[in-house]
Amino acid sequence: MRKVLLPTIIIIATILLILRLFYLQIINDSFKLKSDNNAIKIQYDYPERGYIYDRNGTLLVANQPSYDIMVIPKDLKNIDTLEFCHLLNISKEEYIRIIAKAKVYSPRLPSVFLPQLNKLEFAAFQEKIRKFEGFYIQKRSLRDYQVAYGANVFGFITQASEKTVQKNPYYNNGDLLGKQGVEESYETTLRGIKGVKYIQKDKYNREIGSYKDGEFDTIAVQGEDINLTIDAELQKYGEELMVNKRGGIVAIEPKTGEILALVTAPSYDPAILVGRQRSKNYTKLYRDSIAKPLYDRGLLAEYPPGSPFKILTGLIALQEGVIDEQTTVFCRHGFSYARGRFMRCHCHGGAQQLHRGIYESCNAYFGTAYMMTINKYVRPADGVDVWSNHLKSFGLGQFMGYDLPTGKKGKAPTSKTYKRIYPNGGWRSTAIVSNAIGQGEVLMTPIQLANMMAAVANHGFYYTPHIIKKIEGEVIDKKFRTKHVTTIDRKYFQPMIDGLFDVYNLGTASSLRVEGIDICGKTGTAENFAKINGKRVKLQDHSIFVAFAPKDNPKIAIAVLVENGYWGARWAGPITSLMIEKYLKKKITRIDLEKRMLEGSLQAEYAKYTGKKEIDSLLLQKPKDVTPEEGTEN
């Protein structure tokens, strides 16, 4: 049996190999199509990208025709380069450079010689194209933006890099693809499927018709249209409010996790990254290292959260059982937490309980609550890890899994963090009490702040924030419909919500009320440091505000951060109230706030430090050697 088995296997394998070779070489022409480039010309038909709509069906991004001049280097013959260059308004040196680059890519395959001609340029070249053998025109479609806002949401279209072409067989040299925003996240959905035509050529390199009567040709399939969760009017309004300011706004629908607005400031008109000037304009945006218009602050900027973090400090202390609603702390306009250590406070002082502590933003109350949480455990390291795990259940310290291609984790420090800072040990809750008021090692992005408020609005759960609402014929990813439950019991959220409601009635945002809307919110002021000429310098504080509304059955949760904006109620607070009213009422009654925000500018504040581009790096986290008494809150 053994003597027969091995020869049998060899014979069967040989027969299968011969049959496979026969199929590939005689029957199946697909490999011939890929290798026989001399006899067959491959011509692609590029589909229109899918349209982009907002949550209400408003068209945001459509398409417009574009024409690329393509070149096949080996087919170039008797080109009058002077006439050619004059016709396209390019120099002879540029012509030589582009042809040389095309030859490096492939002498036989087409490369883009000049992209994105407009209709007039196309017409002029088409008239004389017969004189320039080796060149042809490839029709494509470019984006046609119906709005002048939302650039960070949409992203842009650019040519596929050589690395992408080598890595992904779908793309060829000169193909377009989405970068940043939803154009990148949903590239495979929006791009469609390009068609292919195989054209037979004779021995004189003349086209003689379709290869095998078009048997292998395919038609282009247009990209799928998508609806975003964005409310176009709210997005536009948010960008208008942030003109001449820097920062971010993120608004979320609490019951779904849908992103209603994603604003970064400064921004730009997305239309400037379309057409022949795209590269020049992109370079200008990219090189702006001061304002950073390509930097999505709503997703990427990590800031100390300031006093909005007191919401989590209080919830964790309630969950850990170290305080209740009646726990009283006496505030003497600050908190003496260790010998020679004093954390200042701008509340009215006196006996503070949870409710008043929230709406007056008492540092003493939340500093005490935080230390009690850590000190509950014998080892401070254990207390910090328990506290950190509570934070992570709100989405802090991790990538949140939203459907945009960029983001930062923020920071939810653990015992490992402090083991690195204090390698010799000996640290206690007094060394890290700055965390209590969001001025320690904690860092949050605006989208994490907004998501935190969505979880509070929902009494302890949230859905992963996302920007896709509908794709025709497809079901939205299950992860965006999966509820995430925090580690805080539902019963502890109501007393916190009651305190946040009175921030608008009795506390630090009483001047920001909107008639007819019950808003729950929290002001915040976060310290801001920079390194200027090698020295650490304290800059103007960041203005932060978080909120949700209405109090019952919330429909919007929002976080606003304005860099160098002094205190929470000065810039971020008014913007928050206006955004909430715009979304819920579709009109503005607080005309006083609107006028001040639309006309207000922080450019003079930014110019103090960036007028001569002096800043080497922005330190968005308080250095370890700064004591908590430097943190204040209004």
Side-chain angles (χ1 to χ4, degrees):
M1 185 65 182
R2 292 180 180 178
K3 292 180 179 180
V4 176
L5 181 61
L6 183 59
T8 301
I9 292 173
I10 293 173
I11 291 170
I12 292 173
T14 302
I15 292 172
L16 291 174
L17 182 60
I18 291 171
L19 289 173
R20 180 61 176 166
L21 289 172
F22 177 80
Y23 172 76
L24 293 176
Q25 295 183 16
I26 306 300
I27 298 176
N28 187 355
D29 285 347
S30 61
F31 283 87
K32 183 182 179 184
L33 290 175
K34 296 178 181 179
S35 62
D36 197 3
N37 289 313
N38 284 322
I40 299 171
K41 175 184 176 182
I42 299 175
Q43 183 174 311
Y44 293 102
D45 183 15
Y46 290 90
E48 282 197 62
R49 288 181 76 85
Y51 283 24
I52 300 176
Y53 299 84
D54 86 334
R55 66 187 294 109
N56 301 311
T58 301
L59 178 61
L60 303 175
V61 186
N63 298 305
Q64 58 182 308
S66 172
Y67 308 91
D68 292 352
I69 297 179
M70 308 294 292
V71 62
I72 302 176
K74 78 174 187 63
D75 293 344
L76 294 176
K77 293 178 182 177
N78 304 318
I79 301 296
D80 184 339
T81 54
L82 290 179
E83 182 183 7
F84 184 90
C85 293
H86 178 73
L87 182 63
L88 294 174
N89 194 27
I90 62 173
S91 66
K92 186 175 180 180
E93 290 73 22
E94 189 173 2
Y95 173 90
I96 294 171
R97 179 185 62 81
I98 297 173
I99 294 299
K101 184 178 180 181
K103 287 179 179 178
V104 170
Y105 170 69
S106 172
R108 297 179 175 181
L109 295 178
S111 295
V112 175
F113 180 86
L114 201 61
Q116 302 177 12
L117 274 67
N118 60 36
K119 290 180 180 180
L120 292 177
E121 292 170 329
F122 162 71
F125 186 75
Q126 180 75 356
E127 208 173 298
K128 298 187 176 183
I129 193 171
R130 68 185 184 281
K131 299 173 65 176
F132 307 120
E133 190 173 348
F135 292 94
Y136 69 95
I137 289 178
Q138 175 72 64
K139 184 179 179 181
R140 304 180 194 268
S141 64
L142 297 180
R143 281 316 205 184
D144 184 12
Y145 294 98
Q146 309 299 299
V147 297
Y149 51 85
N152 62 308
V153 174
F154 306 138
F156 54 88
I157 306 300
T158 187
Q159 284 191 23
S161 66
E162 291 183 14
K163 185 177 180 181
T164 299
V165 172
Q166 292 171 3
K167 186 178 179 181
N168 190 330
Y170 177 85
Y171 298 102
N172 297 307
N173 186 40
D175 281 5
L176 303 177
L177 80 168
K179 280 290 184 184
Q180 299 184 8
V182 295
E183 294 280 18
E184 180 174 338
S185 294
Y186 292 95
E187 162 68 7
T188 55
T189 298
L190 290 167
R191 76 184 181 195
I193 303 173
K194 60 189 174 186
V196 183
K197 292 181 181 179
Y198 298 96
I199 300 171
Q200 183 77 50
K201 297 187 290 185
D202 63 15
K203 63 181 181 180
Y204 299 108
N205 203 34
R206 296 175 301 193
E207 295 181 10
I208 57 175
S210 295
Y211 177 73
K212 287 200 171 184
D213 296 323
E215 179 183 345
F216 298 99
D217 294 354
T218 59
I219 61 172
V221 179
Q222 184 171 345
E224 296 290 341
D225 297 342
I226 64 174
N227 284 75
L228 304 183
T229 60
I230 293 293
D231 182 292
E233 287 302 311
L234 189 66
Q235 178 75 24
K236 177 184 178 184
Y237 191 55
E239 293 194 19
E240 289 171 349
L241 293 171
M242 290 295 289
V243 169
N244 289 320
K245 308 167 191 70
R246 295 178 191 163
I249 303 174
V250 181
I252 295 173
E253 185 178 66
K255 66 180 180 181
T256 62
E258 294 179 354
I259 299 173
L260 302 172
L262 179 62
V263 175
T264 184
S267 189
Y268 58 93
D269 183 342
I272 70 172
L273 294 187
V274 177
R276 293 278 295 278
Q277 298 300 310
R278 192 206 75 82
S279 180
K280 177 182 176 182
N281 290 336
Y282 179 82
T283 300
K284 184 177 179 181
L285 294 172
Y286 180 79
R287 289 179 176 174
D288 186 349
S289 60
I290 302 300
K292 300 180 180 179
L294 291 174
Y295 182 70
D296 193 330
R297 286 167 164 85
L299 303 177
L300 290 168
E302 299 170 300
Y303 304 95
S307 285
F309 191 78
K310 293 173 182 174
I311 297 169
L312 296 180
T313 299
L315 288 171
I316 294 170
L318 288 169
Q319 180 67 35
E320 289 297 309
V322 296
I323 65 168
D324 57 29
E325 292 178 61
Q326 283 72 46
T327 299
T328 302
V329 173
F330 196 83
C331 177
R332 295 178 175 82
H333 300 291
F335 176 37
S336 180
Y337 59 91
R339 181 178 296 178
R341 299 286 185 174
F342 187 75
M343 181 187 292
R344 291 180 303 203
C345 182
H346 289 258
C347 76
H348 294 112
Q352 295 278 2
Q353 295 180 332
L354 178 65
H355 186 79
R356 185 182 168 201
I358 279 289
Y359 74 72
E360 288 194 352
S361 196
C362 179
N363 286 347
Y365 183 88
F366 290 99
T368 299
Y370 176 79
M371 288 182 61
M372 291 171 70
T373 299
I374 304 302
N375 294 340
K376 173 184 175 182
Y377 297 86
V378 175
R379 297 173 63 243
D382 295 335
V384 167
D385 286 338
V386 168
W387 168 78
S388 183
N389 287 334
H390 285 305
L391 298 182
K392 290 174 183 175
S393 75
F394 284 83
L396 275 66
Q398 57 196 303
F399 293 114
M400 299 182 67
Y402 47 72
D403 53 342
L404 286 161
T406 190
K408 286 289 184 69
K409 294 194 297 184
K411 190 173 183 181
T414 66
S415 59
K416 291 182 180 179
T417 305
Y418 296 108
K419 286 175 183 176
R420 288 194 297 269
I421 297 173
Y422 303 99
N424 297 323
W427 60 274
R428 294 175 295 176
S429 61
T430 52
I432 58 174
V433 71
S434 295
N435 288 331
I437 59 171
Q439 287 288 175
E441 284 67 45
V442 178
L443 294 176
M444 294 176 69
T445 60
I447 195 170
Q448 288 175 324
L449 281 164
N451 189 64
M452 174 191 79
M453 291 308 286
V456 174
N458 290 333
H459 293 255
F461 69 87
Y462 67 90
Y463 293 93
T464 300
H466 54 283
I467 206 160
I468 192 70
K469 188 170 182 67
K470 184 176 73 172
I471 302 174
E472 198 65 40
E474 295 185 27
V475 178
I476 300 303
D477 196 319
K478 183 180 177 181
K479 72 178 181 178
F480 300 134
R481 295 175 281 117
T482 301
K483 182 186 291 188
H484 302 276
V485 181
T486 70
T487 55
I488 308 300
D489 293 343
R490 180 181 177 87
K491 64 183 178 182
Y492 294 124
F493 285 90
Q494 193 58 54
M496 183 61 66
I497 290 171
D498 291 340
L500 295 172
F501 179 60
D502 276 339
V503 169
Y504 265 87
N505 295 307
L506 305 170
T508 54
S510 58
S511 64
L512 306 177
R513 289 194 296 268
V514 177
E515 188 68 30
I517 303 178
D518 293 336
I519 305 176
C520 301
K522 184 74 192 74
T523 51
T525 306
E527 289 180 321
N528 177 25
F529 294 86
K531 187 179 290 184
I532 301 177
N533 296 328
K535 296 182 180 179
R536 179 181 151 272
V537 177
K538 187 179 187 303
L539 308 183
Q540 190 56 254
D541 294 336
H542 296 320
S543 174
I544 306 174
F545 204 97
V546 297
F548 64 83
K551 179 184 178 186
D552 300 318
N553 190 25
K555 292 179 173 59
I556 181 172
I558 187 169
V560 178
L561 192 143
V562 180
E563 293 181 3
N564 303 69
Y566 296 81
W567 59 87
R570 181 162 175 172
W571 291 100
I575 290 173
T576 300
S577 291
L578 291 167
M579 290 286 285
I580 288 173
E581 185 175 25
K582 182 72 171 179
Y583 183 67
L584 296 180
K585 288 187 172 184
K586 309 303 179 187
K587 62 179 182 179
I588 297 298
T589 60
R590 289 301 306 267
I591 304 300
D592 57 326
L593 294 183
E594 183 180 58
K595 186 176 188 298
R596 182 156 60 89
M597 291 302 104
L598 290 176
E599 296 177 358
S601 172
L602 284 167
Q603 291 300 327
E605 188 66 43
Y606 303 137
K608 291 179 184 178
Y609 314 107
T610 62
K612 296 182 179 179
K613 299 188 177 182
E614 295 172 314
I615 293 188
D616 299 317
S617 61
L618 192 63
L619 305 180
L620 297 176
Q621 176 184 359
K622 182 175 71 64
K624 308 299 184 295
D625 60 342
V626 179
T627 56
E629 58 263 33
E630 292 182 19
T632 61
E633 167 59 27
N634 286 289

